[in-house]
PDB file of all heavy atoms in Angstrom:
ATOM      1  N   ALA A  13      14.554   5.270   0.299  1.00 56.00           N
ATOM      2  CA  ALA A  13      15.917   5.235   0.049  1.00 56.00           C
ATOM      3  C   ALA A  13      16.621   6.408   0.805  1.00 56.00           C
ATOM      4  O   ALA A  13      17.691   6.136   1.321  1.00 56.00           O
ATOM      5  CB  ALA A  13      16.231   5.598  -1.452  1.00 56.00           C
ATOM      6  N   ASP A  14      15.945   7.496   1.155  1.00 56.00           N
ATOM      7  CA  ASP A  14      16.462   8.527   1.970  1.00 56.00           C
ATOM      8  C   ASP A  14      16.692   7.981   3.428  1.00 56.00           C
ATOM      9  O   ASP A  14      17.608   8.385   4.080  1.00 56.00           O
ATOM     10  CB  ASP A  14      15.581   9.747   1.978  1.00 56.00           C
ATOM     11  CG  ASP A  14      15.390  10.339   0.607  1.00 56.00           C
ATOM     12  OD1 ASP A  14      16.374  10.196  -0.195  1.00 56.00           O
ATOM     13  OD2 ASP A  14      14.389  11.087   0.409  1.00 56.00           O
ATOM     14  N   ASP A  15      15.683   7.175   3.917  1.00 54.00           N
ATOM     15  CA  ASP A  15      15.815   6.632   5.180  1.00 54.00           C
ATOM     16  C   ASP A  15      17.085   5.749   5.369  1.00 54.00           C
ATOM     17  O   ASP A  15      17.832   5.848   6.414  1.00 54.00           O
ATOM     18  CB  ASP A  15      14.676   5.824   5.659  1.00 54.00           C
ATOM     19  CG  ASP A  15      13.411   6.678   5.719  1.00 54.00           C
ATOM     20  OD1 ASP A  15      13.521   7.880   5.910  1.00 54.00           O
ATOM     21  OD2 ASP A  15      12.284   6.022   5.648  1.00 54.00           O
ATOM     22  N   GLU A  16      17.453   4.976   4.359  1.00 54.00           N
ATOM     23  CA  GLU A  16      18.634   4.083   4.534  1.00 54.00           C
ATOM     24  C   GLU A  16      19.897   4.944   4.470  1.00 54.00           C
ATOM     25  O   GLU A  16      20.823   4.785   5.250  1.00 54.00           O
ATOM     26  CB  GLU A  16      18.665   3.138   3.274  1.00 54.00           C
ATOM     27  CG  GLU A  16      17.586   2.130   3.396  1.00 54.00           C
ATOM     28  CD  GLU A  16      17.508   1.247   2.136  1.00 54.00           C
ATOM     29  OE1 GLU A  16      18.350   1.476   1.181  1.00 54.00           O
ATOM     30  OE2 GLU A  16      16.613   0.475   1.960  1.00 54.00           O
ATOM     31  N   SER A  17      20.025   5.990   3.716  1.00 56.00           N
ATOM     32  CA  SER A  17      21.254   6.809   3.707  1.00 56.00           C
ATOM     33  C   SER A  17      21.315   7.608   4.926  1.00 56.00           C
ATOM     34  O   SER A  17      22.408   7.979   5.334  1.00 56.00           O
ATOM     35  CB  SER A  17      21.179   7.719   2.393  1.00 56.00           C
ATOM     36  OG  SER A  17      20.154   8.681   2.511  1.00 56.00           O
ATOM     37  N   ALA A  18      20.215   7.950   5.565  1.00 52.00           N
ATOM     38  CA  ALA A  18      20.281   8.863   6.882  1.00 52.00           C
ATOM     39  C   ALA A  18      20.743   7.910   7.979  1.00 52.00           C
ATOM     40  O   ALA A  18      21.395   8.460   8.777  1.00 52.00           O
ATOM     41  CB  ALA A  18      18.794   9.314   7.135  1.00 52.00           C
ATOM     42  N   GLU A  19      20.513   6.622   7.907  1.00 55.00           N
ATOM     43  CA  GLU A  19      21.003   5.759   8.996  1.00 55.00           C
ATOM     44  C   GLU A  19      22.432   5.655   8.882  1.00 55.00           C
ATOM     45  O   GLU A  19      23.162   5.371   9.919  1.00 55.00           O
ATOM     46  CB  GLU A  19      20.297   4.431   8.829  1.00 55.00           C
ATOM     47  CG  GLU A  19      18.841   4.448   9.203  1.00 55.00           C
ATOM     48  CD  GLU A  19      18.092   3.121   8.999  1.00 55.00           C
ATOM     49  OE1 GLU A  19      18.855   2.151   8.591  1.00 55.00           O
ATOM     50  OE2 GLU A  19      16.908   3.088   9.212  1.00 55.00           O
ATOM     51  N   SER A  20      23.052   5.685   7.748  1.00 58.00           N
ATOM     52  CA  SER A  20      24.523   5.397   7.485  1.00 58.00           C
ATOM     53  C   SER A  20      25.259   6.602   8.002  1.00 58.00           C
ATOM     54  O   SER A  20      26.450   6.508   8.255  1.00 58.00           O
ATOM     55  CB  SER A  20      24.767   4.985   6.082  1.00 58.00           C
ATOM     56  OG  SER A  20      24.499   6.114   5.223  1.00 58.00           O
ATOM     57  N   LYS A  21      24.713   7.820   7.861  1.00 63.00           N
ATOM     58  CA  LYS A  21      25.402   9.023   8.223  1.00 63.00           C
ATOM     59  C   LYS A  21      25.496   9.162   9.757  1.00 63.00           C
ATOM     60  O   LYS A  21      24.695   8.734  10.526  1.00 63.00           O
ATOM     61  CB  LYS A  21      24.755  10.296   7.719  1.00 63.00           C
ATOM     62  CG  LYS A  21      24.846  10.302   6.198  1.00 63.00           C
ATOM     63  CD  LYS A  21      24.018  11.590   5.746  1.00 63.00           C
ATOM     64  CE  LYS A  21      24.012  11.669   4.253  1.00 63.00           C
ATOM     65  NZ  LYS A  21      23.236  12.940   3.785  1.00 63.00           N
ATOM     66  N   LYS A  22      26.595   9.799  10.301  1.00 63.00           N
ATOM     67  CA  LYS A  22      26.867   9.968  11.616  1.00 63.00           C
ATOM     68  C   LYS A  22      25.920  11.113  12.078  1.00 63.00           C
ATOM     69  O   LYS A  22      25.712  12.078  11.294  1.00 63.00           O
ATOM     70  CB  LYS A  22      28.351  10.329  11.934  1.00 63.00           C
ATOM     71  CG  LYS A  22      29.196   9.196  11.741  1.00 63.00           C
ATOM     72  CD  LYS A  22      30.554   9.526  12.075  1.00 63.00           C
ATOM     73  CE  LYS A  22      31.531   8.392  11.849  1.00 63.00           C
ATOM     74  NZ  LYS A  22      32.913   8.898  12.141  1.00 63.00           N
ATOM     75  N   PRO A  23      25.397  11.193  13.323  1.00 60.00           N
ATOM     76  CA  PRO A  23      24.624  12.353  13.760  1.00 60.00           C
ATOM     77  C   PRO A  23      25.468  13.512  13.807  1.00 60.00           C
ATOM     78  O   PRO A  23      26.654  13.525  14.136  1.00 60.00           O
ATOM     79  CB  PRO A  23      24.159  11.854  15.183  1.00 60.00           C
ATOM     80  CG  PRO A  23      24.960  10.735  15.548  1.00 60.00           C
ATOM     81  CD  PRO A  23      25.496  10.135  14.263  1.00 60.00           C
ATOM     82  N   ARG A  24      25.033  14.663  13.457  1.00 59.00           N
ATOM     83  CA  ARG A  24      25.733  15.865  13.379  1.00 59.00           C
ATOM     84  C   ARG A  24      25.851  16.471  14.816  1.00 59.00           C
ATOM     85  O   ARG A  24      24.964  16.539  15.570  1.00 59.00           O
ATOM     86  CB  ARG A  24      24.952  16.877  12.552  1.00 59.00           C
ATOM     87  CG  ARG A  24      25.682  18.137  12.280  1.00 59.00           C
ATOM     88  CD  ARG A  24      24.962  19.035  11.261  1.00 59.00           C
ATOM     89  NE  ARG A  24      23.823  19.654  12.099  1.00 59.00           N
ATOM     90  CZ  ARG A  24      23.007  20.523  11.647  1.00 59.00           C
ATOM     91  NH1 ARG A  24      23.134  20.852  10.321  1.00 59.00           N
ATOM     92  NH2 ARG A  24      21.997  20.993  12.287  1.00 59.00           N
TER      93      ARG A  24
END
Side-chain angles (χ1 to χ4, degrees):
D14 294 338
D15 292 341
E16 292 173 4
S17 64
E19 292 174 0
S20 63
K21 292 181 182 179
K22 293 181 181 178
R24 188 176 74 176

